């Protein structure tokens, strides 16, 4: 009988220890990170040249809302930041707090068109979609 009680007690202690570790890891990983730097370059895929003045949208999700309330079960705060690349195709921003970041860029379609009347002239059409 004592053996059964001691095994049951050990099993309960192991379960409690595992639950404590799970809770610690859950709350440790689900926190906003301070001063997150988001940066990058936008390059032309055909020739690796930098693309200037491309609209880059950064969506920043936070566990803390604008009023300071925190909830680690869901994102309460969200920021939408629109950036433009410089002449080197570079964009950068430092986010005060962040839990998850999405980065979108406007798709750029480049078509090389030729006029039938004058085949020596090339026209570059840049469309933002």
């Amino acid at each position: 009988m004592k053996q059964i009680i001691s095994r049951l007690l050990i099993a309960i202690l192991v379960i409690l220890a595992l639950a404590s570790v799970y809770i610690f890891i859950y709350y440790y990983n689900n926190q906003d990170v301070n001063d997150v730097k988001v940066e990058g370059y936008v390059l032309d895929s055909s020739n690796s040249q930098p693309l200037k003045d491309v609209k880059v949208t950064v969506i920043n999700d936070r566990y803390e809302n604008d009023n300071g309330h925190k909830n680690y079960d869901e994102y309460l705060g969200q920021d939408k930041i629109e950036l433009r690349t410089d002449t080197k195709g570079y964009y950068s921003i430092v986010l005060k707090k962040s839990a998850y970041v999405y980065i979108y860029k406007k798709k750029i379609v480049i078509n090389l068109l030729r006029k039938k009347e004058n085949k020596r002239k090339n026209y570059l059409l840049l469309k933002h979609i």
Side-chain angles (χ1 to χ4, degrees), residues 33-80:
V33 178
N34 295 327
D35 300 323
V36 175
K37 185 170 187 176
V38 178
E39 62 181 344
Y41 289 90
V42 179
L43 305 174
D44 187 332
S45 62
S46 64
N47 59 13
S48 297
Q49 293 297 314
L51 295 173
K52 69 175 185 172
D53 202 35
V54 174
K55 181 180 171 184
V56 177
T57 304
V58 177
I59 306 292
N60 177 35
D61 286 335
R62 298 174 276 116
Y63 290 111
E64 185 176 328
N65 67 6
D66 295 332
N67 298 329
H69 182 261
K70 295 178 186 176
N71 183 353
Y72 296 111
D73 292 330
E74 61 183 326
Y75 298 128
L76 296 179
Q78 186 179 70
D79 306 310
K80 181 178 179 182

Side-chain angles (χ1 to χ4, degrees), residues 9-51:
L9 184 61
I10 290 173
I12 291 172
L13 290 175
V14 168
I15 291 171
L16 286 174
L18 289 175
S20 299
V21 169
Y22 172 78
I23 291 170
F24 173 77
I25 291 172
Y26 177 78
Y27 282 107
Y28 180 75
N29 285 332
N30 289 343
Q31 292 183 6
D32 289 332
V33 178
N34 295 327
D35 300 323
V36 175
K37 185 170 187 176
V38 178
E39 62 181 344
Y41 289 90
V42 179
L43 305 174
D44 187 332
S45 62
S46 64
N47 59 13
S48 297
Q49 293 297 314
L51 295 173

Side-chain angles (χ1 to χ4, degrees), residues 74-127:
E74 61 183 326
Y75 298 128
L76 296 179
Q78 186 179 70
D79 306 310
K80 181 178 179 182
I81 303 114
E82 293 183 351
L83 306 170
R84 292 273 178 190
T85 59
D86 62 10
T87 56
K88 296 178 183 177
Y90 179 75
Y91 64 92
S92 173
I93 189 166
V94 176
L95 304 171
K96 187 175 175 182
K97 287 190 175 199
S98 181
Y100 199 85
V101 175
Y102 306 86
I103 300 173
Y104 300 100
K105 67 173 181 52
K106 274 222 165 176
K107 186 176 179 183
I108 297 176
V109 178
I110 298 176
N111 293 325
L112 193 60
L113 302 175
R114 290 185 182 219
K115 282 263 189 178
K116 290 185 178 178
E117 310 90 32
N118 189 352
K119 290 188 179 181
R120 286 182 279 170
K121 283 192 176 179
N122 290 333
Y123 295 92
L124 187 64
L125 175 64
L126 183 64
K127 293 191 323 186

